[in-house]
Amino acid sequence: MWPEEKIQAFRKALLDWYDAAGRDHLPWRLNNDPYRIWVSEIMLQQTQVITVIPYYNRFMALFPSIKELAEAEEDVLLKAWEGLGYYSRVRNLQKAAQQIMADYDGVFPNQPEEIIKLKGIGPYTAGAISSMAFGLPEPAVDGNVMRVFSRVFEIGDDIAKPATRKIFEGLVRVLIDPDRPGDFNQAIMDLGTDICAPKNPRPEESPIKDFNQAYQNGTMHLYPFKSKAKKPVPKTMQGIVIQSGDHFLLEKRPESGLLANFWTFPLVEENWGDWPKIEQINFLVAEPAPLNEEGMHALNTFLDEKVKMTAEQIQPAVGSLTHVFSHRKWHITVHHVVVEGMKEDLPENMQWVSRFDFPDYAFAVPQQKMWEIIWKENRKFLQSF
């Protein structure tokens, strides 16, 4: 590790730059409210800053306090998060808010060992809240931080491995400014998202270029080292858009698993088209596979057995879409079915919903994509109702 004089110089160079160039326009940096910081940090996981800002502002308007978040109806909560993905994040947010109400009298805990007990909060988020909200010299190590310091110190350990995080946490504990720990952590994050970005970094512009061993030695391209993640498992799905007038049949997903408790057009996990074996499918195809005779029979069987309806009109394979989760990759072929009347004897998880009421329902991204396909292909027909 560097001598104390060099550490002091590093802190000064970094924080002088942050004071001049830090992203102080971000809404969660207006004050050190732990609730606001917490919500922003959870939203920013797997999501870019520019995407988060409008979601964050709307979320804070809907749930301005821990109490209101803890007491929110799930449908309202999911609707507020709609489009951000990784929905377990918002469910854990609410569970943690309920923990705070029950275990801490509604007051956000101010010690790292208590903060990390909250649902959905790991070492990074606990460190971010501890340093930014409470001024504690705690490391907040994410991918940006590991990228910056792997280049500064030429650390070649695999950043995809959880154990590697401990190396960087130890570094930050030594380097962090004890008087401005929150600003120090945010400065490193800002540096990692821009000047020290994953691609096309600009180390010559960096405030810490004189400390950057990889830059000095011409080895920037070697750091950080990250092993490749496993490819998501592909799955072929059928999306059945069933319409009666201006109403559509929606199905609520199970309480657990992917898209838990979200509303979608009915989805069938089967292959109805002339697809090759699933592992050979090109999931970037622009055109849907046509339904073969067996596929049409399967579609009619689904209507007859699952929803007990007969189609007046079927538009098979009207479009297709691909949606990638962290560990799954869905290819959905979308079918448009028009039926006469709205059958009322439906399964408990299904109901008819007017398209004008769609904004009141929590739709995950695959559902939004299916609707976009149907609207694009049948706009004039849909607008006639």
Side-chain angles (χ1 to χ4, degrees):
M1 180 47 68
W2 299 330
E4 182 63 25
E5 183 179 351
K6 189 170 183 179
I7 293 174
Q8 293 285 358
F10 178 84
R11 292 170 179 166
K12 185 176 189 309
L14 179 67
L15 291 171
D16 284 351
W17 169 80
Y18 180 73
D19 289 338
R23 296 178 294 178
D24 57 2
H25 63 285
L26 299 177
W28 47 86
R29 291 187 179 175
L30 296 178
N31 56 46
N32 62 351
D33 180 355
Y35 174 59
R36 294 177 62 86
I37 293 169
W38 170 42
V39 171
S40 73
E41 290 298 335
I42 299 300
M43 281 192 171
L44 287 165
Q45 294 170 9
Q46 292 108 5
T47 312
Q48 294 182 337
V49 168
I50 193 169
T51 301
V52 163
I53 292 174
Y55 280 95
Y56 177 82
N57 289 331
R58 184 167 66 250
F59 193 92
M60 296 309 298
L62 285 169
F63 315 112
S65 70
I66 293 171
K67 182 175 184 293
E68 284 162 298
L69 174 59
E71 296 174 351
E73 295 285 340
E74 185 181 53
D75 284 348
V76 177
L77 192 66
L78 293 176
K79 187 68 182 176
W81 203 267
E82 182 183 272
L84 277 176
Y86 299 93
Y87 293 96
S88 61
R89 294 183 294 170
V90 72
R91 291 189 173 98
N92 287 339
L93 260 177
Q94 184 174 53
K95 289 175 183 176
Q98 291 165 349
Q99 277 182 266
I100 294 170
M101 295 303 299
D103 300 340
Y104 301 96
D105 295 326
V107 178
F108 202 101
N110 61 7
Q111 294 300 315
E113 61 270 20
E114 297 299 317
I115 294 172
I116 204 166
K117 292 178 182 178
L118 299 175
K119 186 73 173 177
I121 290 185
Y124 163 75
T125 307
I129 297 169
S130 297
S131 62
M132 297 176 201
F134 302 112
L136 302 175
E138 289 290 315
V141 175
D142 67 354
N144 289 313
V145 174
M146 289 191 283
R147 182 166 56 256
V148 171
F149 284 120
S150 70
R151 292 169 176 172
V152 169
F153 290 95
E154 291 185 306
I155 298 171
D157 296 69
D158 185 357
I159 66 170
K161 294 183 177 180
T164 302
R165 182 182 299 272
K166 296 294 183 182
I167 297 172
F168 293 97
E169 287 178 349
L171 273 175
V172 175
R173 285 193 184 279
V174 174
L175 296 173
I176 195 168
D177 191 302
D179 298 321
R180 298 178 61 186
D183 288 346
F184 181 95
N185 281 335
Q186 290 181 99
I188 294 293
M189 292 174 204
D190 284 5
L191 200 61
T193 59
D194 184 19
I195 292 174
C196 198
K199 296 180 180 179
N200 303 315
R202 307 186 308 278
E204 69 283 355
E205 299 178 23
S206 174
I208 57 170
K209 64 182 178 182
D210 293 339
F211 303 86
N212 189 333
Q213 291 177 196
Y215 175 55
Q216 301 294 335
N217 297 330
T219 59
M220 287 282 290
H221 62 289
L222 299 178
Y223 304 97
F225 170 70
K226 184 177 184 180
S227 57
K228 292 184 178 179
K230 292 181 180 179
K231 292 183 178 180
V233 177
K235 184 181 292 289
T236 299
M237 313 277 286
Q238 311 298 322
I240 320 299
V241 181
I242 302 175
Q243 176 184 359
S244 178
D246 69 355
H247 282 66
F248 292 81
L249 189 64
L250 296 182
E251 178 180 50
K252 195 168 190 178
R253 300 278 297 173
E255 292 185 359
S256 60
L258 289 176
L259 309 184
N261 286 338
F262 276 88
W263 290 92
T264 71
F265 298 124
L267 289 167
V268 180
E269 298 181 13
E270 294 179 10
N271 182 2
W272 290 353
D274 292 321
W275 290 98
K277 290 183 179 180
I278 191 165
E279 61 269 18
Q280 299 174 352
I281 294 175
N282 173 9
F283 279 89
L284 299 179
V285 292
E287 297 297 326
L291 281 190
N292 54 27
E293 185 175 342
E294 291 180 359
M296 283 298 294
H297 176 72
L299 175 54
N300 279 296
T301 299
F302 169 83
L303 294 170
D304 182 50
E305 294 183 357
K306 299 297 183 181
V307 295
K308 303 193 184 306
M309 282 183 262
T310 302
E312 297 288 319
Q313 175 186 333
I314 295 180
Q315 189 180 12
V318 67
S320 64
L321 63 97
T322 298
H323 186 76
V324 182
F325 300 91
S326 58
H327 60 296
R328 292 285 185 270
K329 193 172 190 177
W330 285 2
H331 182 82
I332 304 175
T333 300
V334 182
H335 314 280
H336 184 207
V337 178
V338 178
V339 298
E340 176 120 9
M342 289 181 286
K343 181 176 176 296
E344 295 183 2
D345 184 20
L346 295 170
E348 289 184 3
N349 65 328
M350 288 185 173
Q351 69 181 56
W352 291 101
V353 177
S354 168
R355 69 179 177 89
F356 300 106
D357 293 331
F358 280 3
D360 297 332
Y361 285 74
F363 287 166
V365 172
Q367 164 68 14
Q368 296 173 31
K369 289 180 178 178
M370 285 191 282
W371 176 244
E372 287 172 7
I373 288 171
I374 293 299
W375 182 254
K376 178 182 177 182
E377 296 297 326
N378 298 284
R379 179 176 299 184
K380 287 186 179 179
F381 177 69
L382 295 173
Q383 288 177 329
S384 67
F385 295 95

